[in-house]
């Protein structure tokens, strides 16, 4: 599983780098050129699909999309010029009437007048012939024959110069060439296979098939963008923009326009000489060694491993046999390569002796070496951290001397094999080892080394290259090109085959968010890419099916039309001269007509007078005219059945040709259910807003109920507080009145001064009781009016309410006021929150039996906010519940002593009513509740 994560992360990073390519760096002169010459004028050919063509006055094709991508990267405007022939475009570019020809191949004649960008696409030419003439499959066999060619094309000029015995008929474009070939006016035509396949499939060209590719390198077109010699800056700008286009972007364009067309020549990436070498060689002898599992090893006398699977893949791509020769060590294999016993030697060790005689291909495998330890050991960030520990390693490891020279103090326990190395780590005989991921995964899976995990990767690699004798340079080039043809998908499948174990690694929390962010980006990219691929694959499948059907239709047109009618679930009409000339059973069933009743009617005769948009039904004739002009037209429509029932349908009109007559082929699909669903969705959308408002109102009512519940819960506590507040004054009043009464009963004369003092004392206590009542009455006010308040006075009033209980419980209150301004807020609700926090602090101090109980209240200003902090020394809130204390009905108090809504309502009051924030954290001594209020609510 670990290797899958590593591979995923590697893929993510690559995709992330691709998605963040550097901005195109233009010189000041280049920027000025673009500023003064927009829009740039690019050529658009009339008909050279799928590369460059114009359809319904819209430029289309692979080349057009490529040019649009360049314009997007350069942030410039472009204008496409369509209409002139190829020769006319060439002349316009020479005269600076256009800025660029988008698809042009370089030759000596053209280099006199034009500059060329780096080629961005190569296209092979193919020979197309009349069916039955497939034997005309080479230029040699076409000598003495007649071919039809678009005038001015590179292939036409090349054949005219180098194959004068081939007669040529010159036409305007490839479409005309195919039409003449289909009519038997010529024996063959030559053009890009993608172009001819596209025209054949879209223009119903019959009896024309490909016979072979043209096996001449000079006829492989390297497509570039051509610019005028007078505008070298434009050539430089376009080259920079091309360099900024990623391989993925280019591949997406090719898939869009070329699909996955079958290429007959699997070795098209080789030159003719290289193909001849392969055809003559047929068998390549490979030196192999026996002791590097799972890279390359023998088991039950059978050679296998990652390298061997990759070599077999190369063998398959080259269509050549690899013969494996077994050796027990690298030295003997090197000698066999030297004396010619072997042709190639895949190796992980480029020794000095081997470098003297051999060339090394690009690596076929390349794996980072990892530090592997037991799973209960601390994470090692690097080798330097664990140099005081013992490392296990195979005695003849290639990098052993390098490691000893870099770290002279390293303690190495030398083993005889990778198995013994990893077993020593697994059994805690040594602290760690350094091995590549495939080796770790292979042995962990096969021998159940379950205590291993990868701690970190090093900057050392295990790479495999193929050694080829220097004098065998052709084979070296062939192998390099074939290695390039191996896809990442193929490499991954082979890698997964040999590394299917799960190795646990410690999770690096320092990079958690980075990894999650990158994974999210990757998943988004992959999801989007998969959607696009699915659409393209589906479209490609449909297109291929249509090509097959059209080929059959050409052979037996009438018969296949009848079969299509009988099997199609959609209605089908043939319309000629705006009247229905034929139909299938599905449309008769849909409209409830008999075939005789329906034929010779027009579309408006089986439709209501007006459509849903109040347009006259007579616009159906305009739709038919539009189809004849543009080739295709689709729209939604309402038909009337024979019984005058309205039916919604979707109509696709296509212009076709039958017996040299223009005919409209109409496909009609019943969409009544879809329309009903659309109405239902519209109705649901209209009701959605009302439902949302209703739910909001319900939530507001619930909030009000919770606030009231919180106040009722506090009312009991307030009654207790009033009792505490009144006990001492009432006792004093009682004592004073009893003293006066006693003296009166004893007929003692009470001096006026003493009597006045006693009565004043009773008055003071009575006023104190009155003030207490006012404080509690104000606390329970329910008004929602913002008032200007002094924060410190509000806090003091709140403390005054509860101070008797604090004195009873011996709780000391410390004040640190640093905010001396007034704010506009809801004083009653704010006082309620402060009282809840003070009461909770008191409960925590009492419940935990804290000595020297202390509550600290402080205020200060922080930017545009005022901060109130209530801190206690009750040892804090447990970490496992601190995130839950603001949840409704969650209480840390003993059963039946807490409602669990006090802090929840406090959070609502501060966050929602006061637009502030209530939070909590633990300090060294206890909990700190922080109220953050805006200066202006």
């Amino acid at each position: 599983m670990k290797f899958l994560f590593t591979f995923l992360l590697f893929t993510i990073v690559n995709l992330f780098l691709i998605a963040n390519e550097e901005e195109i760096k233009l010189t000041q002169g280049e920027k000025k050129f673009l500023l003064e010459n927009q829009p740039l004028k690019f050529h658009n050919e009339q008909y050279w699909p799928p590369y460059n063509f114009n359809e319904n006055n819209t430029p289309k094709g692979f080349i057009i999309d490529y040019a649009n991508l360049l314009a997007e990267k350069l942030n410039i405007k472009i204008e496409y010029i369509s209409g002139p022939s190829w020769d006319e475009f060439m002349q316009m570019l020479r005269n600076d009437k256009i800025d660029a020809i988008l698809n042009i191949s370089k030759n000596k004649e053209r280099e006199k007048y034009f500059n060329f960008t780096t080629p961005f696409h190569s296209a092979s030419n193919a020979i197309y012939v009349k069916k039955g003439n497939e034997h005309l499959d080479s230029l040699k066999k076409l000598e003495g024959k007649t071919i039809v060619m678009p005038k001015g094309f590179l292939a036409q000029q090349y054949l005219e110069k180098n194959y004068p015995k081939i007669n040529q008929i010159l036409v305007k474009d490839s479409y005309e060439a195919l039409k003449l070939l289909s009519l038997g006016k010529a024996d063959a035509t030559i053009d890009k296979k993608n172009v001819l396949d596209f025209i054949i499939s879209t223009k119903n060209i019959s009896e024309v098939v490909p016979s072979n590719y043209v096996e001449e390198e000079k006829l492989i077109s390297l497509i570039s963008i051509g610019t005028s010699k007078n505008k070298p800056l434009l050539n430089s700008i376009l080259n920079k923009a091309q360099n900024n286009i990623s391989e993925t972007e280019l591949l997406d364009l090719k898939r869009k326009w070329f699909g996955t067309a079958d290429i007959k020549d699997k070795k098209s990436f080789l030159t003719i000489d290289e193909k001849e070498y392969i055809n003559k060689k047929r068998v390549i002898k490979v030196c192999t060694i026996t002791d590097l599992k799972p890279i390359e090893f023998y088991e039950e006398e059978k050679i296998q491993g990652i390298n061997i699977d990759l070599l077999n893949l190369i063998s398959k791509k080259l269509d050549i046999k690899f013969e494996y020769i077994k050796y027990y060590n690298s030295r003997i294999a090197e000698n066999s390569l030297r004396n010619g016993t072997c042709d190639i030697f895949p190796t992980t060790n480029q020794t000095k002796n081997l470098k003297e005689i051999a060339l090394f291909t690009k690596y076929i495998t390349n794996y980072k070496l990892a530090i592997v330890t037991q799973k209960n050991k601390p994470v090692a960030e690097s080798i330097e951290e664990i140099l005081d520990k013992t490392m296990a390693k195979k005695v003849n490891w290639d990098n052993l001397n390098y490691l000893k020279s870099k770290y002279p103090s390293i303690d190495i326990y030398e083993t005889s094999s990778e198995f013994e190395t990893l077993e020593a780590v697994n059994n805690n005989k040594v602290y760690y080892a350094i091995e590549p991921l495939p080796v770790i995964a292979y042995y962990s899976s096969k021998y159940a080394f379950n205590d291993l995990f990868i701690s970190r990767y090093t900057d050392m690699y295990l790479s495999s290259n193929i050694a080829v004798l220097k004098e065998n340079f052709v084979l070296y080039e062939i192998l390099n090109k074939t290695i390039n043809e191996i896809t990442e998908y193929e490499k991954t499948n082979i890698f997964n085959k040999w590394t299917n174990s799960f190795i646990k690694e410690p999770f690096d929390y320092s990079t958690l968010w980075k990894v999650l962010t990158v994974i999210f980006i990757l998943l988004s990219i992959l999801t989007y890419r998969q959607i696009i691929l699915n659409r393209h694959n589906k479209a490609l499948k449909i297109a291929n099916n249509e090509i097959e059907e059209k080929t059959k239709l050409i052979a037996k047109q009438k018969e296949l039309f009848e079969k299509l009618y009988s099997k199609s679930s959609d209605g089908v009409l043939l319309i000629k001269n705006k009247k229905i000339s034929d139909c299938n059973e599905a449309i008769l069933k849909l409209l409830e007509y008999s075939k005789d009743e329906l034929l010779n009617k027009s579309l408006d005769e089986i439709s209501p007078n007006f459509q849903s948009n109040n347009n006259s039904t007579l616009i159906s004739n305009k739709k038919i005219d539009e189809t004849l002009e543009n080739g295709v037209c689709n729209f939604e429509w309402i038909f009337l059945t024979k019984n005058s029932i309205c039916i919604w349908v979707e109509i696709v009109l296509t212009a076709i040709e039958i017996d040299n007559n223009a005919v409209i082929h109409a496909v009609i699909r019943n969409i009544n259910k879809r329309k009903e669903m659309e109405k239902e969705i519209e109705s649901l959308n209209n009701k959605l807003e009302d439902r949302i408002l209703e739910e909001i109102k319900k939530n507001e009512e619930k909030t009000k109920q919770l606030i009231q519940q919180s106040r009722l819960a506090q009312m009991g506590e307030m009654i207790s507080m009033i009792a505490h507040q009144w006990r001492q004054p009432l006792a004093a009043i009682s004592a004073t009145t009893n003293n006066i009464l006693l003296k009166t009963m004893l007929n003692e004369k009470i001096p006026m001064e003493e009597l006045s003092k006693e009565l004043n004392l009773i008055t003071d206590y009575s006023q104190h009781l009155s003030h207490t009542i006012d404080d509690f009455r104000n606390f329970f006010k329910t008004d929602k009016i913002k008032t200007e308040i002094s924060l410190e006075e509000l806090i003091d009033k709140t403390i005054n309410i509860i101070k008797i209980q604090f004195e009873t419980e011996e709780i000391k209150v410390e004040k640190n006021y640093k905010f001396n301004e007034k704010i506009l807020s809801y004083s009653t609700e704010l006082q309620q929150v402060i009282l809840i926090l003070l009461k909770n602090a008191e409960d925590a101090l009492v419940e935990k039996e804290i000595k020297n109980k202390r509550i600290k209240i402080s205020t200060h200003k922080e930017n545009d906010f005022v901060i109130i902090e209530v801190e206690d020394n009750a040892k804090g809130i447990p970490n496992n519940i601190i995130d839950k204390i603001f949840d409704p009905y969650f209480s840390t108090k003993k059963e039946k002593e807490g409602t669990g809504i006090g802090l929840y309502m406090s959070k609502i009051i501060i966050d929602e009513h006061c637009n502030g924030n209530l939070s909590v954290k633990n300090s060294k001594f206890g909990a700190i509740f922080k109220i953050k209020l805006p200066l202006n609510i």
Side-chain angles (χ1 to χ4, degrees), residues 20 82 111 175 258 287 340 354 408 453 554 662 671 791 843 848:
N20 292 274
S82 182
E111 279 188 294
Y175 178 38
F258 308 142
C287 291
L354 195 57
F453 77 95
I554 293 170
I671 59 171
L791 206 57
D843 293 342
K848 295 180 180 180

Side-chain angles (χ1 to χ4, degrees), residues 252 255-257 259-260 526-544:
D252 287 343
R255 283 178 176 154
K256 174 182 176 180
W257 288 103
T260 55
L526 293 180
T527 302
Y528 176 75
R529 187 171 182 270
Q530 190 60 43
I531 291 171
I532 298 301
L533 285 176
N534 288 342
R535 289 177 182 172
H536 287 176
N537 289 338
K538 184 177 180 181
L540 179 63
K541 185 177 179 180
I542 294 171
N544 287 336

Side-chain angles (χ1 to χ4, degrees), residues 595-642:
K595 189 167 186 177
D596 290 338
E597 290 172 331
L598 190 60
L599 294 184
N600 294 318
K601 289 184 180 293
S602 60
L603 293 182
D604 58 279
E605 290 181 273
I606 55 173
S607 306
N609 292 331
F610 294 94
Q611 294 294 311
S612 63
N613 54 8
N614 293 325
N615 283 335
S616 170
T617 298
L618 294 176
I619 64 168
S620 60
N621 294 328
K622 293 183 180 179
K623 296 290 184 182
I624 292 173
D625 293 335
E626 182 182 336
T627 304
L628 292 172
E629 181 180 352
N630 299 325
V632 68
C633 178
N634 65 287
F635 53 94
E636 293 182 353
W637 194 256
I638 300 175
F639 276 142
L640 274 180
T641 67
K642 185 178 179 180

Side-chain angles (χ1 to χ4, degrees), residues 317-334:
K317 289 180 180 293
L318 291 173
D319 192 21
I320 193 171
K321 182 180 178 182
F322 278 12
E323 182 180 305
Y324 298 102
I325 303 174
K326 179 179 180 181
Y327 293 99
Y328 290 94
N329 60 58
S330 298
R331 183 178 56 79
I332 300 174
E334 288 178 17

